[in-house]
Amino acid sequence: RMTLIVVNQAEEAMLDLVLAVNYTLRLYKTDVTLGLTQAQKDALTESSFVEATFTGYAGAALTGGSWTTTPGNPATGSYAMQTFTSSADQTPQAVYGYYITRTSGGALQWFEPFPGPVIFEFNGEYYEVTPRLTLADTGD
């Protein structure tokens, strides 16, 4: 069996291609990964997530080509910080992480759970998310 070796600069070029399209960053309010195996997590789709609904919430548009990519092991892509802010006092809502969908078609691309739930209850409460994607060397 032969081994394919992708060099760091090519990993960055691949990220540039992946991150050239428009995405939407969304917060989710269910602990979607609770009790799931890795295979079950890999099979999740956009319909697996329940999007946040706290007052003031809206998904954030991520413009293709506006990511900063860096070669290395791993190669990384990051987007400017996005801030989600409650605009009213309300019933507490727990948010468990963010997920990224393609703007065109809405297909799930990736997601990241927060270290613990973030609660939105009072006017002015906010949470900041810096979307990122890494491409690392692994053996298959």
Side-chain angles (χ1 to χ4, degrees), residues 4-122:
L4 175 68
I5 298 171
V6 179
V7 297
N8 291 345
Q9 66 185 3
E11 289 173 357
E12 182 187 21
M14 289 177 188
L15 274 177
D16 286 337
L17 291 171
V18 168
L19 300 174
V21 301
N22 294 331
Y23 295 104
T24 304
L25 181 146
R26 305 170 189 278
L27 301 180
Y28 61 91
K29 64 178 184 175
T30 55
D31 192 354
V32 71
T33 61
L34 186 65
L36 297 183
T37 65
Q38 187 59 52
Q40 290 169 321
K41 292 175 188 175
D42 290 342
L44 293 174
T45 69
E46 60 282 354
S47 64
S48 304
F49 293 81
V50 178
E51 191 168 4
T53 57
F54 61 86
T55 304
Y57 169 78
L62 307 179
T63 304
S66 296
W67 297 71
T68 300
T69 57
T70 306
N73 187 22
T76 60
S78 62
Y79 200 88
M81 182 183 298
Q82 303 297 300
T83 302
F84 297 91
T85 306
S86 170
S87 63
D89 291 346
Q90 60 206 291
T91 302
Q93 184 172 118
V95 174
Y96 290 88
Y98 74 86
Y99 63 112
I100 304 285
T101 59
R102 286 182 72 106
T103 301
S104 175
L108 176 66
Q109 301 300 289
W110 68 90
F111 68 97
E112 182 175 13
F114 296 150
V118 174
I119 308 299
F120 288 90
E121 181 176 5
F122 299 108

